[in-house]
């Protein structure tokens, strides 16, 4: 990995640990691999390289999540306006990424993590009426797509919207998998279109699939023994801490 992606042996070791941990969180609650992988790797390699590293681990873990659960037909029929908008607008975020100063993406990613974690920790939730599902879904998809292209994180406001639909737990996890899978594919295409995908980056990303899947397997086994609610709180606290770290980091890079 070091010879084709500029990673020193110490950074390779860090990347392996990060993706085992991010995969563990993914296996535990169904999401978190991109957010945690990006949040930690951005600190060491910058947002653009970090976005490349998460592509293959995100893709393969999300294939499994999107196709498992038995609710695929129902979810596609109900969510297609939201999913289509999120995919079609992602390129706009990547375009912005190629034009903004260094530090902006770090700052935005940190703010997104804080914006996601705080309301969840406060117990925030709401349910949408059936008449509002499509228009709110299109608006949420537009914002989610732009933010995904800019930061590589797919959670805000997508997960908040999906939770507002009142889906059962298995259906919610599968719906998140659909959003993450389609967004990962669109992100890879978008990064390639803007010349941000290189052969070395793809090989490094593929090499990180094994530690990510190992973490997912461990997280699934651990989830059976403990309360999902308690672990969701811990994960949200971790995301909040990462966001609070990245916000000042992004500001410092902007003013340098």
């Amino acid at each position: 990995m070091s010879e084709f992606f500029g990673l020193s042996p110490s950074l390779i070791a860090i990347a392996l640990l990060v993706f085992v941990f991010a995969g563990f969180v993914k296996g535990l609650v169904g999401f978190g691999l991109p957010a945690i992988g990006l949040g930690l790797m951005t600190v060491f390699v910058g947002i653009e390289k970090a976005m490349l590293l998460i592509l293959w681990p995100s893709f393969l873990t999300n294939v499994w999540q999107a196709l498992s659960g038995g609710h695929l037909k129902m979810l596609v029929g109900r969510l297609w306006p939201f999913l289509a908008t999120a995919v079609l607008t992602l390129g706009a975020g990547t375009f912005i990424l190629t034009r903004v100063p260094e530090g902006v993406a770090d700052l935005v990613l940190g703010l997104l993590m804080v914006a996601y974690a705080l309301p969840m920790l406060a117990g925030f939730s709401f349910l949408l009426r059936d008449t509002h599902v499509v228009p709110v879904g299109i608006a949420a998809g537009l914002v989610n797509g732009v933010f995904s292209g800019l930061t590589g994180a797919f959670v805000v406001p997508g997960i908040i919207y999906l939770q507002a639909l009142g889906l059962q737990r298995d259906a919610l996890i599968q719906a998140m998998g659909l959003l993450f899978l389609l967004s990962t594919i669109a992100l890879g295409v978008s990064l390639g279109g803007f010349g941000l995908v290189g052969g070395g980056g793809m090989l490094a990303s593929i090499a990180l699939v094994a530690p990510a899947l190992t973490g997912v397997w461990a997280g699934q086994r651990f989830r059976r023994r403990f309360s999902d609610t308690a672990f969701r709180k811990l994960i949200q606290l971790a995301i909040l801490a990462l966001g609070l770290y990245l916000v000042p980091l992004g500001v410092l890079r902007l003013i340098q």
Side-chain angles (χ1 to χ4, degrees), residues 34-36 38-39 47 51 54 90 108-109 112-113 143-157 180 183 187:
I36 293 174
L38 277 170
I47 186 68
M51 288 171 73
I54 71 165
L90 190 145
V108 171
L109 180 58
L112 283 178
M113 288 181 171
V143 176
N144 209 90
V146 173
F147 282 168
S148 296
L150 179 59
T151 69
F154 314 129
V155 296
V156 179
F180 301 156
S183 297
L187 180 62

Side-chain angles (χ1 to χ4, degrees), residues 41-108:
M41 291 309 300
T42 294
V43 175
F44 299 103
V45 300
I47 186 68
E48 291 184 7
K49 285 186 177 181
M51 288 171 73
L52 288 179
L53 290 176
I54 71 165
L55 284 179
W56 273 104
S58 293
F59 174 72
L60 291 178
T61 56
N62 288 328
V63 166
W64 162 79
Q65 186 174 338
L67 299 181
S68 301
H71 305 283
L72 183 62
K73 184 176 180 180
M74 178 274 291
L75 291 172
V76 171
R78 189 175 185 187
L79 299 177
W80 72 263
F82 163 69
L83 295 172
T85 308
V87 167
L88 292 174
T89 57
L90 190 145
T94 308
F95 174 79
I96 295 171
L97 175 65
T98 65
R99 297 295 189 274
V100 297
E102 183 179 357
V104 169
D106 297 329
L107 178 60
V108 171

Side-chain angles (χ1 to χ4, degrees), residues 103-142:
V104 169
D106 297 329
L107 178 60
V108 171
L109 180 58
L111 290 173
L112 283 178
M113 288 181 171
V114 173
Y116 166 72
L118 283 178
M120 295 300 103
L121 287 168
F124 174 77
S125 64
F126 64 94
L127 293 176
L128 287 172
R129 297 179 181 178
D130 290 342
T131 54
H132 295 161
V133 168
V134 172
V136 173
I138 291 174
L142 190 155

Side-chain angles (χ1 to χ4, degrees), residues 124-215:
F124 174 77
S125 64
F126 64 94
L127 293 176
L128 287 172
R129 297 179 181 178
D130 290 342
T131 54
H132 295 161
V133 168
V134 172
V136 173
I138 291 174
L142 190 155
V143 176
N144 209 90
V146 173
F147 282 168
S148 296
L150 179 59
T151 69
F154 314 129
V155 296
V156 179
I159 289 181
I160 296 173
Y161 169 73
L162 293 174
Q163 288 178 326
L165 298 179
L167 298 170
Q168 296 297 319
R169 182 174 125 180
D170 289 346
L172 175 61
I173 290 174
Q174 189 170 7
M176 289 191 294
L178 275 173
L179 171 62
F180 301 156
L181 174 60
L182 294 174
S183 297
T184 301
I185 294 171
L187 180 62
V189 172
S190 183
L191 289 172
F194 286 101
L196 298 178
V197 174
M202 287 295 94
L203 289 173
S205 182
I206 291 170
L208 290 169
V209 169
L213 290 178
T214 300

Side-chain angles (χ1 to χ4, degrees), residues 23-29 64 213-225:
F24 178 82
V25 173
K26 173 83 167 177
L28 194 62
V29 296
W64 162 79
L213 290 178
T214 300
V216 170
W217 174 81
Q220 289 174 331
R221 291 181 64 86
F222 205 60
R223 180 174 59 185
R224 300 170 189 166
R225 302 181 182 181

